[in-house]
C-alpha cells in the first residue's frame, strides 16, 4: 500500500483538484499548469493524483506501453500480433529541470554500441510517459531546448529521434502537468498555450483553513500509514467516480447552443487561435460527465471557461494571466439566448403597441444626453480637457512618471564566449548547441560523449589491446566529450538614476520606457534581472536578482524620482549585488546596465568619486553598458561618456536603445 499523501486529504485546493480530475477524465484536454507561490501543496496534489487514476492495460514487454486492444503498428518494439496484455498502475513520470535532451528523447545505447558494435535505441522519458502523466516541477525554469522537445511531442503526439545513427519514431501521448512559481519567471507563450487548463493557487488567509491544513500535515507525518488508511474509502469512491465519468464521456451531448456560447465567450476575451475554443468545449464535456450529466449545461461552460481561458486571454507581455469573473458572467449572460416570455404577443405588437405604428421610436429619448448619432459624447466648447497632455515640467520630489508602450530593444551582450546557463543572449560554451570540437573527459566528469571522436581516439590502440571480433576495446581514457557553442542567459542588473537631475516627467517616462523595453528583451532571452536605484543620499536594491521580469517592471513603474544624485553609491551598491550573485550562481555572467545622465550631485567631489567607483568596477572585468539620459538639446556635458570609458563599457545614447533607432543612426552616420 502506498503511503503517499492522499489526494482527497488536500485541503482548500478545490479548483486545483477539479482541474486535475477533469484532465484525468478526458486526457484530450491537454494537461494542467499550476501556478502559485511556494508552499501551496502544488507538487503534493500532483503526485497524489496517480493513486486515484484507473490502471492501464499495456502489451507485455513493450517499452512504449502499447494498448493490447489497438497496438501501434509503428511501435519500435513491434509488431505485436495477438499481444498479451497486462494491467499496471497509471504512471507519473517526472521530468527534471536539469535533464539532458538524450534523457528526454532517448538515444543510442552507447555501451552496447561500443562493446558489441550494434545500434540499439534506449527509450527516454517521453516513451515512459506515453499513456500516462508527464510532470515537470518548476516548468518555467526548463531549458529552452527541452521546451522545444515538449512542444514537438505535444503537437504531434509522438517523439522523433534522429541522432547518433538512430532514426526512431514512437508514440508519446501524455497528460502534461506542470507547476511553477511566477516570481521566478514566466513560461514561453508557445508552451503556455499547450497546457489545456491553468489554475492559480494561493494559501488561504482564513485561519480556520490554515489550522486544518497544519493538522492534516502533522497527523500524516506522525503516522503516514494510519493517515492513508483513514482516507481509503474516500480514495476508492473518487477513483470509481472518475471511472464512471470516463465511461459516460462518449455519451455527453455538446449542443449547438453550447458550442455557440463557448465561441462567443472565447471571442469576448479576445483569445488567439482556436485552441481555446476546443479546450473549453472538451473541458465542458468532461465537467458534464464528472457531474453525471449527458448534456452540457451553462454550469459546465462556466467551469470550463474559468480553467481554460485565463492563460489564453490576450494581454500585455508583463500582465499576469487571469480572468475577470464579472466579464465572464457578462459574456455568459450575453451568449445565453433569452427564454420566451409567455406574456409576449405572438404577433409581435406587444401590449403597448410598440410596433411600427405604436408611436414608440427606438431612438426616442436616446440622444437626450447630448450624444450624436455615433453614440459618442461631443466635447463641450470652453471646457478644459482633463485628458489633454500638459506641457512637461520638472518632476517634483517623489513624483512617479509612467512608461509608454515598449519597443524592440537592441541586443546588449557580454563579449567573448562564456560557459553559463543556457539562454539566448551571449555566446557561450553550453550543453546544447552546435558541436564545435571535442575534449578529453576529466575524471568522472559528466557530459555527452562525442561518439566519432571517442572511436577515433580508441581505434589506433585496438591491436595493442588484443581486440578480436566485432566491437571496439574502449577504455575510460578514450572517451571524448563534445564541445558545443550556443547562447547563455545573463544576469542583467539595471542601475537607474532616479534623482531630480533626470529632469522632466516626460524625460523620466522615456527612460522608464527604454528600461521596460530592455526588460522585455531580457524576458524573451530568459535572463535573470535585478534593479538598483539611487536618489537622495543613498542607493537602494529595489529588486534582488530574480527570474521574474514582471516584478522588475512593477517596481520600476512605481519608482519615484527626485532629490540629489548619489552616483558613486549607486555604482558601489550594484557592485555589491553582483558580488553576492556571483557566489550564489557563479555560472551566470553579469551585465551591468547603468542608466544616468552622469551628473553626480551628492557630497563633495561627487563626480570624481563616481569615476573612481566606475574604474574599480571596470578593473574587475564586469561587462557594462552606459545609457546616457542627458537631454539632446542644449549644452551637453558628456559625463556619462566619461563614466563609460572608466567602466570599459559600451556607450549608448537613450535614443539608441531602440533597435530601429540604432539602425537609422548607423545609416545616418554612414551617409554623412
Amino acid at each position: 500500500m502506498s503511503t503517499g499523501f492522499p489526494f482527497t486529504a488536500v485541503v482548500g485546493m478545490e479548483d486545483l483538484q477539479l482541474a486535475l480530475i477533469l484532465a484525468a477524465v478526458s486526457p484530450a484536454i491537454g494537461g494542467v499548469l499550476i501556478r502559485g507561490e511556494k508552499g501551496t501543496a502544488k507538487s503534493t496534489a500532483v503526485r497524489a493524483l496517480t493513486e486515484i487514476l484507473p490502471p492501464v492495460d499495456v502489451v507485455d514487454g513493450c517499452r512504449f506501453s502499447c494498448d493490447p486492444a489497438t497496438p501501434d503498428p509503428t511501435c519500435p518494439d513491434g509488431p505485436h500480433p495477438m499481444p498479451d496484455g497486462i494491467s499496471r498502475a497509471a504512471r507519473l513520470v517526472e521530468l527534471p529541470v536539469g535533464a539532458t535532451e538524450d534523457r528526454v528523447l532517448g538515444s543510442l545505447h552507447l555501451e552496447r554500441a561500443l562493446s558489441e558494435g550494434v545500434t540499439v535505441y534506449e527509450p527516454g522519458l517521453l516513451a515512459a510517459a506515453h499513456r500516462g502523466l508527464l510532470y515537470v516541477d518548476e516548468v518555467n525554469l526548463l531549458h529552452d531546448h527541452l521546451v522545444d522537445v515538449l512542444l514537438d511531442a505535444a503537437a504531434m503526439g509522438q517523439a522523433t529521434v534522429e541522432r547518433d545513427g538512430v532514426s526512431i519514431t514512437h508514440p508519446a501521448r501524455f497528460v502534461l502537468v506542470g507547476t511553477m512559481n511566477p516570481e521566478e519567471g514566466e513560461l514561453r507563450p508557445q508552451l503556455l498555450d499547450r497546457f489545456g487548463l491553468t489554475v492559480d493557487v494561493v494559501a488561504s488567509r482564513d485561519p480556520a483553513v490554515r489550522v486544518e491544513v497544519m493538522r492534516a500535515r502533522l497527523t500524516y507525518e506522525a503516522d503516514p500509514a494510519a493517515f492513508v488508511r483513514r482516507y481509503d474509502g474516500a480514495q476508492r469512491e473518487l477513483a470509481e467516480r472518475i471511472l464512471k465519468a470516463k465511461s459516460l464521456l462518449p455519451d455527453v451531448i455538446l449542443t449547438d447552443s453550447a458550442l455557440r456560447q463557448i465561441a462567443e465567450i472565447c471571442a469576448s476575451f479576445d483569445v488567439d487561435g482556436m485552441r481555446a475554443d476546443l479546450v473549453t468545449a472538451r473541458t465542458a464535456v468532461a465537467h458534464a460527465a464528472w457531474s453525471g450529466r449527458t448534456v452540457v449545461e451553462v454550469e459546465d461552460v462556466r467551469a470550463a471557461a474559468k480553467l481554460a481561458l485565463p492563460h489564453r486571454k490576450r494581454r500585455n507581455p508583463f500582465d499576469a494571466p487571469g480572468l475577470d469573473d464579472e466579464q465572464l458572467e457578462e459574456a455568459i449572460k450575453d451568449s445565453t439566448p433569452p427564454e420566451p416570455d409567455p406574456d409576449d404577443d405572438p404577433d409581435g405588437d406587444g401590449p403597448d403597441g410598440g410596433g411600427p405604428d405604436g408611436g414608440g421610436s427606438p431612438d426616442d429619448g436616446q440622444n437626450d444626453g447630448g450624444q450624436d448619432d455615433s453614440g459618442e459624447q461631443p466635447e463641450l466648447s470652453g471646457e478644459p480637457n482633463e485628458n489633454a497632455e500638459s506641457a512637461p515640467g520638472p518632476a517634483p520630489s517623489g513624483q512617479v512618471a509612467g512608461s509608454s508602450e515598449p519597443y524592440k530593444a537592441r541586443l546588449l551582450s557580454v563579449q567573448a564566449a562564456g560557459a553559463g546557463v543556457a539562454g539566448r543572449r551571449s555566446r557561450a560554451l553550453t550543453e546544447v548547441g552546435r558541436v564545435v570540437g571535442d575534449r578529453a573527459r576529466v575524471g568522472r566528469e559528466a557530459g555527452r560523449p562525442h561518439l566519432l571522436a571517442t572511436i577515433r581516439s580508441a581505434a589506433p590502440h585496438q591491436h595493442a589491446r588484443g581486440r578480436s571480433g566485432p566491437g571496439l576495446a574502449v577504455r575510460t581514457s578514450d572517451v571524448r566529450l563534445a564541445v558545443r557553442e550556443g547562447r547563455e542567459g545573463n544576469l542583467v542588473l539595471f542601475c537607474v538614476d532616479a534623482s531630480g537631475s533626470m529632469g522632466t516627467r516626460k524625460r523620466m517616462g522615456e527612460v522608464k520606457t527604454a528600461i521596460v523595453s530592455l526588460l522585455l528583451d531580457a524576458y524573451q532571452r530568459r535572463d535573470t534581472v535585478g534593479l538598483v536605484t539611487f536618489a537622495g543620499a543613498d542607493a537602494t536594491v529595489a529588486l534582488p536578482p530574480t527570474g521574474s521580469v514582471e516584478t522588475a517592471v512593477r517596481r520600476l513603474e512605481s519608482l519615484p524620482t527626485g532629490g540629489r544624485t548619489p552616483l558613486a553609491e549607486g555604482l558601489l551598491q550594484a557592485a555589491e549585488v553582483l558580488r553576492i550573485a556571483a557566489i550564489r550562481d557563479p555560472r551566470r555572467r553579469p551585465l551591468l546596465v547603468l542608466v544616468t545622465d552622469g551628473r553626480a550631485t551628492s557630497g563633495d567631489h561627487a563626480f570624481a568619486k563616481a569615476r573612481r567607483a566606475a574604474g574599480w568596477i571596470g578593473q574587475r572585468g564586469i561587462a557594462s553598458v552606459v545609457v546616457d539620459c542627458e537631454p539632446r538639446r542644449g549644452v551637453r556635458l558628456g559625463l556619462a561618456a566619461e563614466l563609460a570609458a572608466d567602466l570599459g563599457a559600451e556607450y549608448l545614447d537613450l535614443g539608441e536603445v531602440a533597435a530601429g533607432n540604432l539602425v537609422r543612426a548607423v545609416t545616418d552616420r554612414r551617409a554623412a
Side-chain angles (χ1 to χ4, degrees):
M1 182 183 68
S2 171
T3 56
F5 196 87
F7 187 82
T8 53
V10 177
V11 178
M13 297 295 171
E14 291 78 11
D15 288 344
L16 168 58
Q17 290 173 303
L18 176 62
L20 292 173
I21 288 171
L22 294 181
V25 170
S26 177
I29 288 173
V32 182
L33 173 65
I34 307 165
R35 297 162 40 92
E37 55 198 12
K38 51 188 176 293
T40 48
K42 301 187 296 294
S43 301
T44 299
V46 174
R47 293 190 174 98
L49 178 65
T50 55
E51 300 296 329
I52 59 172
L53 293 179
V56 179
D57 293 331
V58 298
V59 174
D60 190 12
C62 179
R63 298 174 298 169
F64 301 90
S65 303
C66 278
D67 187 346
T70 56
D72 193 324
T74 64
C75 175
D77 282 357
H80 301 297
M82 303 294 291
D84 294 328
I86 60 172
S87 182
R88 62 163 173 78
R91 183 179 290 168
L92 175 71
V93 177
E94 296 196 35
L95 195 160
V97 170
T100 63
E101 192 174 344
D102 288 348
R103 184 71 186 96
V104 176
L105 277 175
S107 64
L108 177 70
H109 197 300
L110 187 61
E111 182 180 351
R112 295 190 62 185
L114 295 177
S115 61
E116 303 176 22
V118 296
T119 300
V120 178
Y121 171 68
E122 187 174 12
L125 296 177
L126 294 184
H130 179 50
R131 301 181 64 206
L133 279 76
L134 182 65
Y135 172 47
V136 188
D137 193 15
E138 304 294 348
V139 64
N140 52 323
L141 304 182
L142 200 64
H143 292 310
D144 280 349
H145 68 287
L146 296 183
V147 171
D148 294 335
V149 169
L150 282 184
L151 287 174
D152 290 341
M156 305 300 295
Q158 62 184 23
T160 300
V161 184
E162 297 283 354
R163 62 193 313 153
D164 301 330
V166 174
S167 179
I168 291 289
T169 297
H170 66 80
R173 291 181 293 275
F174 46 80
V175 176
L176 182 61
V177 180
T179 57
M180 59 174 284
N181 183 350
E183 294 179 355
E184 297 176 340
E186 283 291 347
L187 275 178
R188 283 171 53 184
Q190 296 93 330
L191 182 57
L192 183 63
D193 191 48
R194 287 294 174 185
F195 286 97
L197 311 177
T198 185
V199 181
D200 285 284
V201 294
V202 294
S204 174
R205 299 298 182 257
D206 184 353
V209 175
R210 298 175 76 94
V211 167
E212 190 176 352
V213 171
M214 288 189 292
R215 182 179 291 115
R217 188 68 199 185
L218 293 175
T219 304
Y220 169 75
E221 291 175 354
D223 190 348
F227 187 83
V228 170
R229 283 196 299 271
R230 183 190 307 175
Y231 285 89
D232 272 349
Q235 292 281 98
R236 284 195 301 271
E237 181 181 346
L238 182 58
E240 291 171 0
R241 186 177 174 187
I242 291 176
L243 269 176
K244 183 179 179 181
K246 287 178 70 74
S247 62
L248 183 62
L249 190 68
D251 299 327
V252 175
I253 300 173
L254 185 62
T255 62
D256 289 342
S257 61
L259 276 173
R260 183 164 184 86
Q261 188 174 55
I262 291 171
E264 291 184 2
I265 291 173
C266 292
S268 69
F269 280 99
D270 199 21
V271 298
D272 292 323
M274 291 298 300
R275 185 173 285 117
D277 304 64
L278 294 171
V279 171
T280 305
R282 291 171 184 147
T283 307
V285 171
H287 189 272
W290 170 248
S291 303
R293 291 189 291 270
T294 56
V295 178
V296 172
E297 299 180 357
V298 175
E299 177 185 345
D300 304 314
V301 175
R302 178 184 290 107
K306 286 183 177 180
L307 296 173
L309 297 185
H311 59 303
R312 292 189 169 90
K313 185 183 67 169
R314 184 171 295 177
R315 56 192 178 93
N316 293 324
F318 299 122
D319 291 343
L323 205 64
D324 186 345
D325 289 340
E326 292 184 3
Q327 184 182 356
L328 175 60
E329 292 302 323
E330 189 67 26
I332 291 176
K333 180 181 178 182
D334 293 342
S335 62
T336 303
E339 297 182 1
D341 188 347
D343 296 330
D344 282 350
D345 189 341
D347 295 333
D349 293 337
D352 297 328
D357 300 324
S361 169
D363 290 335
D364 283 353
Q366 297 301 311
N367 290 328
D368 292 343
Q371 290 182 334
D372 58 17
D373 292 339
S374 65
E376 296 181 356
Q377 185 78 22
E379 186 173 326
L380 299 178
S381 60
E383 294 292 332
N385 186 354
E386 294 180 357
N387 296 325
E389 183 177 354
S390 59
S397 179
Q399 181 71 40
V400 177
S403 64
S404 303
E405 189 71 20
Y407 45 74
K408 180 175 176 57
R410 63 158 298 178
L411 172 62
L412 307 178
S413 62
V414 180
Q415 299 301 313
V421 296
R424 295 181 179 178
R425 182 169 297 278
S426 304
R427 217 164 40 90
L429 300 178
T430 61
E431 296 178 356
V432 296
R434 64 188 183 95
V435 177
V436 296
D438 60 86
R439 61 182 178 84
R441 186 169 66 170
V442 179
R444 295 183 176 273
E445 177 187 8
R448 294 176 58 181
H450 192 301
L451 182 58
L452 295 179
T454 300
I455 293 175
R456 283 197 301 265
S457 177
H461 309 290
Q462 297 307 299
H463 288 297
R465 294 173 183 174
R467 180 184 69 88
S468 61
L472 293 175
V474 179
R475 296 180 180 175
T476 303
S477 58
D478 298 326
V479 177
R480 308 285 297 180
L481 300 183
V483 177
R484 298 174 178 272
E485 183 177 280
R487 292 279 173 177
E488 67 176 1
N490 298 111
L491 163 58
V492 183
L493 180 64
F494 292 91
C495 186
V496 181
D497 185 347
S499 65
S501 70
M502 295 300 286
T504 66
R505 281 186 296 171
K506 181 178 179 181
R507 182 162 152 236
M508 193 60 194
E510 292 177 356
V511 171
K512 287 189 176 182
T513 301
I515 300 174
V516 169
S517 301
L518 290 170
L519 285 169
L520 177 59
D521 182 68
Y523 165 78
Q524 294 169 339
R525 298 184 187 278
R526 313 301 290 173
D527 292 317
T528 298
V529 298
L531 179 62
V532 172
T533 63
F534 54 94
D538 206 355
T540 303
V541 182
L543 181 69
T546 175
S548 178
V549 179
E550 296 81 0
T551 305
V553 172
R554 289 195 295 270
R555 300 284 173 87
L556 178 70
E557 290 288 4
S558 61
L559 176 67
T561 57
R564 302 177 70 84
T565 311
L567 182 53
E569 288 78 0
L571 287 169
L572 294 176
Q573 182 66 75
E576 178 65 11
V577 171
L578 294 179
R579 183 188 69 82
I580 296 174
I583 296 173
R584 293 177 175 174
D585 192 359
R587 294 184 59 203
R588 191 177 289 273
R589 294 194 295 169
L591 176 62
L592 174 63
V593 180
L594 175 62
V595 184
T596 183
D597 58 8
R599 300 184 183 185
T601 59
S602 179
D604 298 332
H605 310 292
F607 187 67
K609 288 167 52 180
R611 291 196 63 176
R612 286 196 296 272
W616 181 77
I617 293 174
Q619 291 172 4
R620 277 149 182 77
I622 297 174
S624 307
V625 177
V626 174
V627 179
D628 188 355
C629 302
E630 193 172 22
R632 302 177 186 85
R633 297 179 181 178
V635 178
R636 291 176 63 96
L637 302 179
L639 301 178
E642 295 182 32
L643 286 174
D646 294 329
L647 284 165
E650 181 180 1
Y651 171 81
L652 289 177
D653 187 82
L654 180 62
E656 295 178 333
V657 172
N661 291 354
L662 179 65
V663 172
R664 285 195 295 272
V666 172
T667 302
D668 293 343
R669 290 171 188 170
R670 286 179 177 175

